[in-house]
Amino acid sequence: MQGKTGLVLEGGGVRGIYTAGVLDVFMENGITFGGVMGVSAGAIHACSYLSGQKGRSIRYYRRYVGDPRFMSLCSWLKTGDIVGAEFCYHTLPDELGVYDHDAFLANPTPYWVVCTDVESGSPAYIRIRDMRGQIEYLRASASLPYFSRMVALDGKKYLDGGCTDSVPVEAMQRLGYARNVVVLTRDASYRKKPEMTALAKLVYGKYPAFVRTLEKRHEMYNAQLEAAERMAAEGSAFIIRPVEPLRIGRLENDPEKVQRVYDRGCQDARNALEAMKEWMEQQR
């Protein structure tokens, strides 16, 4: 099932394993899309979906989420990255949870990741054509502010795409995808609250545009969320989201909690599957 319908994937750190569950159900049922855009953890889990590797994300999360090389305060203190860059973006996909690059290259689905340009304070939408050659853009998209080093690529400095466009459904519409399935990792009651602006000025004072972005992050996120909800009400979006708040931290390291959130994503996707198929057929 493929057409001009896009797929938009929110981030959320380890909470994004919910999205991995949703995507595995899509793979079980042969659900594909005309284009995919992922943010942060959403960008990471989209990789396995686009290579057709069902179950890959939950397998390596269960095995390595408690490993200090995967994500830990120790890694942050040693390297400046709370998520181990070498382990997660090279050792894992190349040796331990081997990524099927050939399958990705054979998949014609256009794929974008969202990063934040630190110097301009604006989102950047990067088309990924070669996962091996462009893996650093995946790392940039998922590099949490305060807990990650900036990722320098092609003369620009990037951090987490969620700082500027957490729910990029409007960006997908600008690319020509008038209708989009949107996978969120927060329940319907959630709205983001203001963050500590003093910390942003202290850490990123050399980048005033980025500081302003962090100061307005809650406003942008809530506006993006409301735009997606408005589109769903109008019929141009279909939202899959947790039915209740996910009981998991952004930096969770308990594999059993990770499994429960993954299972919740699978169940919510199965519950929504028939309605989503009907909605996707409406454009034909």
Side-chain angles (χ1 to χ4, degrees):
M1 181 183 294
Q2 187 171 18
K4 296 182 179 179
T5 300
L7 175 64
V8 174
L9 305 172
E10 185 186 13
V14 178
R15 194 174 66 247
I17 199 68
Y18 174 90
T19 299
V22 173
L23 296 177
D24 280 353
V25 171
F26 288 174
M27 281 188 268
E28 285 175 2
N29 290 273
I31 305 294
T32 59
F33 297 86
V36 177
M37 184 175 288
V39 185
S40 193
I44 300 300
H45 295 304
C47 298
S48 297
Y49 171 70
L50 290 165
S51 64
Q53 291 177 274
K54 178 180 174 293
R56 177 175 175 269
S57 289
I58 188 59
R59 284 194 298 273
Y60 75 70
Y61 262 68
R62 278 196 60 91
R63 185 167 183 179
Y64 297 110
V65 74
D67 190 317
R69 298 173 297 171
F70 184 85
M71 180 179 60
S72 66
L73 181 60
C74 181
S75 175
W76 183 49
L77 293 173
K78 283 184 175 180
T79 69
D81 292 312
I82 200 160
V83 172
E86 181 64 28
F87 183 77
C88 290
Y89 296 98
H90 298 285
T91 303
L92 248 178
D94 294 342
E95 301 173 21
L96 303 176
V98 177
Y99 186 70
D100 192 338
H101 290 280
D102 290 339
F104 175 80
L105 291 171
N107 188 337
T109 307
Y111 173 47
W112 294 266
V113 302
V114 184
C115 304
T116 294
D117 183 324
V118 175
E119 293 180 317
S120 70
S122 301
Y125 306 97
I126 311 297
R127 174 80 182 270
I128 303 297
R129 291 181 167 85
D130 175 4
M131 199 68 72
R132 182 180 283 110
Q134 294 179 284
I135 191 68
E136 289 297 286
Y137 284 106
L138 273 292
R139 182 164 77 89
S141 182
S143 290
L144 298 173
Y146 309 115
F147 293 101
S148 306
R149 295 172 295 169
M150 298 176 195
V151 180
L153 294 165
D154 299 325
K156 297 183 182 294
K157 297 175 181 179
Y158 294 111
L159 279 172
D160 186 359
C163 296
T164 45
D165 200 351
S166 293
V167 189
V169 63
E170 292 175 304
M172 281 295 274
Q173 286 192 332
R174 290 193 295 271
L175 287 168
Y177 299 89
R179 292 161 57 84
N180 293 277
V181 171
V182 181
V183 181
L184 303 176
T185 59
R186 296 285 195 181
D187 68 289
S189 69
Y190 179 79
R191 291 297 184 273
K192 188 176 285 294
K193 297 178 180 179
E195 300 183 9
M196 296 181 293
T197 57
L199 183 60
K201 292 176 181 176
L202 178 65
V203 177
Y204 298 111
K206 293 181 180 180
Y207 305 94
F210 186 59
V211 170
R212 290 193 294 272
T213 291
L214 292 178
E215 290 173 341
K216 296 180 179 178
R217 187 178 183 184
H218 65 292
E219 297 176 5
M220 292 188 293
Y221 177 87
N222 293 337
Q224 292 153 10
L225 190 59
E226 288 160 10
E229 291 172 341
R230 184 175 61 253
M231 292 175 195
E234 295 169 351
S236 60
F238 187 97
I239 295 175
I240 296 176
R241 67 196 332 167
V243 295
E244 58 186 16
L246 298 176
R247 306 300 181 186
I248 191 170
R250 178 183 282 270
L251 302 174
E252 183 62 60
N253 62 5
D254 182 339
E256 296 309 316
K257 290 183 179 179
V258 169
Q259 182 70 55
R260 286 196 291 272
V261 170
Y262 169 83
D263 291 343
R264 181 74 264 170
C266 291
Q267 189 58 55
D268 287 351
R270 292 184 182 115
N271 291 343
L273 196 60
E274 291 308 313
M276 187 185 77
K277 287 180 179 179
E278 290 179 9
W279 177 86
M280 291 178 75
E281 289 292 340
Q282 290 172 7
Q283 70 173 327
R284 294 181 180 274

